[in-house]
Amino acid sequence: MTVGQRSEARSEARSEARSEARSEARSEARSEARSEARSEARIDAHQHFWRYSPETHGWIDGGMAALKRDFLPPDLEPLLRASGFGGCVAVQAQQDPVETAWLLSLADAHPFVRGVVGWVDLQSPEVERELERVAAHPKLCGVRHLVQSEPDGFMAGADFRRGIAALERVGLAYEVLIYERQLAEAVELVRAFPRQRFVVDHIAKPDIRAHRAGTATVDAWRDGMRALAACDNAWCKLSGMVTEGDWSAWGADDFTPYLDVVLEAFGPRRCMIGSDWPVCTLAGTYGEVAGIVTAYAERLSEAERELVLGGTATRFYGANREQWTVDGEQ
């Protein structure tokens, strides 16, 4: 090979190397963009904020001392990002309209708080007027009542059901917070309002401690969840499991049987991940708790996984709310 040919060969090799480098850089950039877009689309569908006060947070007892402090958006955002989430839904912790207004102000100030599930007195004679007022805020996407603390039969009450009917008219979702013993009553409520969107929090709080101890079976919970899932206007949050189990001695596999039941019954299109932060910190870190569902979701297809980790929440909460971007089928 002549000197000129060697020079030309070296030039071609350098050109090919530069071309390959540019191609790799473009590929990496596209991969990073896809990863960033996926992270932004992932939503923690259940967490709380509060400024702690013994007077307003009496439910935080001595065994929950770690929760006796303020938990605010700057505390949560880095935890969300580190676990690959781009946004969250803030859920009420007090049955007080003042808290709802405060949560909405936080959502206005922090764009990663995509929506708020607040509290309205659904039994009030003025419920329709109050719902119309609060529903005007674009980030209010649902209402919750602490039914788990109410006596049996509460969900069948005429005043409460009048409030649910009003919710349907303004297009807000209703969050069902119950223990497993209340599942049959919840099924009747959901069946009575087939056009209202319901989501059950914390997979209806199965008594995981008792199930593991052998003092109760999962049968009643499993059958109740299947009955609820048979209503196509019901969704489910994959949240709150660690605090129903042994706070100090749990493993991710402890929750697999429960996730199997819920995913089979509801399907990924009606299931959404939620951390229940900061309550979950009684049993684990944010990353550990979020990792229960994110690790489980690896067994799903990519499309199903992204539904559970954000797509379902976006569709559910974004149905009537302008600030959510609701894309086509995933």
Side-chain angles (χ1 to χ4, degrees), residues 50-58 60 69-70:
W50 61 69
R51 290 193 182 279
Y52 175 71
S53 164
E55 292 74 28
T56 57
H57 295 85
I60 302 178
R69 67 174 183 84
D70 296 350

Side-chain angles (χ1 to χ4, degrees), residues 235-258:
W235 280 253
C236 187
K237 287 188 180 180
L238 310 180
S239 60
M241 295 177 289
V242 291
T243 45
E244 299 308 310
D246 186 331
W247 294 1
S248 60
W250 60 268
D253 289 345
D254 294 346
F255 310 108
T256 297
Y258 299 93

Side-chain angles (χ1 to χ4, degrees), residues 4-319:
Q5 288 173 327
R6 285 197 295 272
S7 177
E8 184 178 345
R10 286 195 296 270
S11 178
E12 289 178 356
R14 286 194 295 270
S15 178
E16 288 177 2
R18 286 194 295 270
S19 178
E20 288 178 4
R22 287 194 295 269
S23 178
E24 289 176 4
R26 286 193 295 268
S27 178
E28 288 177 4
R30 286 194 295 269
S31 178
E32 289 176 3
R34 285 195 297 270
S35 178
E36 184 176 346
R38 183 168 57 246
S39 178
E40 285 302 307
R42 289 185 173 182
I43 306 295
D44 177 349
H46 197 104
Q47 53 77 212
H48 308 282
F49 297 121
W50 61 69
R51 290 193 182 279
Y52 175 71
S53 164
E55 292 74 28
T56 57
H57 295 85
W59 59 273
I60 302 178
D61 60 28
M64 301 179 180
L67 302 183
K68 294 183 177 183
R69 67 174 183 84
D70 296 350
F71 290 91
L72 299 169
D75 301 312
L76 176 62
E77 187 171 17
L79 303 177
L80 280 175
R81 301 295 182 185
S83 292
F85 293 95
C88 65
V89 176
V91 180
Q92 61 87 220
Q94 298 173 242
Q95 302 203 143
D96 185 343
V98 173
E99 187 210 38
T100 300
W102 178 71
L103 290 174
L104 289 168
S105 73
L106 293 182
D108 286 338
H110 300 276
F112 77 90
V113 182
R114 304 285 178 83
V116 167
V117 174
W119 182 82
V120 170
D121 184 358
L122 295 176
Q123 300 179 91
S124 167
E126 303 297 322
V127 64
E128 292 210 40
R129 182 180 303 173
E130 180 61 12
L131 282 173
E132 288 174 0
R133 184 186 68 80
V134 296
H137 194 292
K139 284 201 170 183
L140 188 78
C141 54
V143 169
R144 185 173 81 155
H145 185 87
L146 304 183
V147 172
Q148 67 176 18
S149 302
E150 298 289 356
D152 291 349
F154 177 83
M155 286 179 276
D159 289 344
F160 178 73
R161 291 200 170 195
R162 186 181 67 248
I164 296 294
L167 266 182
E168 181 183 315
R169 287 192 286 274
V170 297
L172 292 173
Y174 180 72
E175 305 249 336
V176 183
L177 179 64
I178 55 171
Y179 290 114
E180 67 171 84
R181 64 175 175 79
Q182 297 168 298
L183 266 166
E185 193 177 332
V187 170
E188 292 305 312
L189 174 69
V190 173
R191 286 173 177 167
F193 295 91
R195 291 183 298 278
Q196 169 63 32
R197 290 173 298 120
F198 294 89
V199 58
V200 62
D201 290 345
H202 312 328
I203 65 170
K205 291 196 166 186
D207 193 344
I208 296 173
R209 292 186 196 88
H211 298 165
R212 286 183 58 78
T215 57
T217 71
V218 301
D219 296 355
W221 171 81
R222 181 195 59 221
D223 294 346
M225 291 301 282
R226 287 174 175 171
L228 194 61
C231 305
D232 60 12
N233 58 326
W235 280 253
C236 187
K237 287 188 180 180
L238 310 180
S239 60
M241 295 177 289
V242 291
T243 45
E244 299 308 310
D246 186 331
W247 294 1
S248 60
W250 60 268
D253 289 345
D254 294 346
F255 310 108
T256 297
Y258 299 93
L259 292 170
D260 285 344
V261 168
V262 174
L263 265 296
E264 180 184 358
F266 287 87
R269 293 182 183 280
R270 289 193 286 150
C271 288
M272 60 187 88
I273 187 173
S275 68
D276 198 27
W277 180 90
V279 180
C280 70
T281 61
L282 295 169
T285 67
Y286 184 94
E288 289 170 341
V289 173
I292 295 169
V293 177
T294 54
Y296 181 95
E298 288 299 317
R299 69 190 64 191
L300 306 175
S301 71
E302 182 179 0
E304 291 172 334
R305 182 165 59 250
E306 295 311 316
L307 284 169
V308 170
L309 300 182
T312 296
T314 295
R315 288 187 176 87
F316 181 80
Y317 288 114

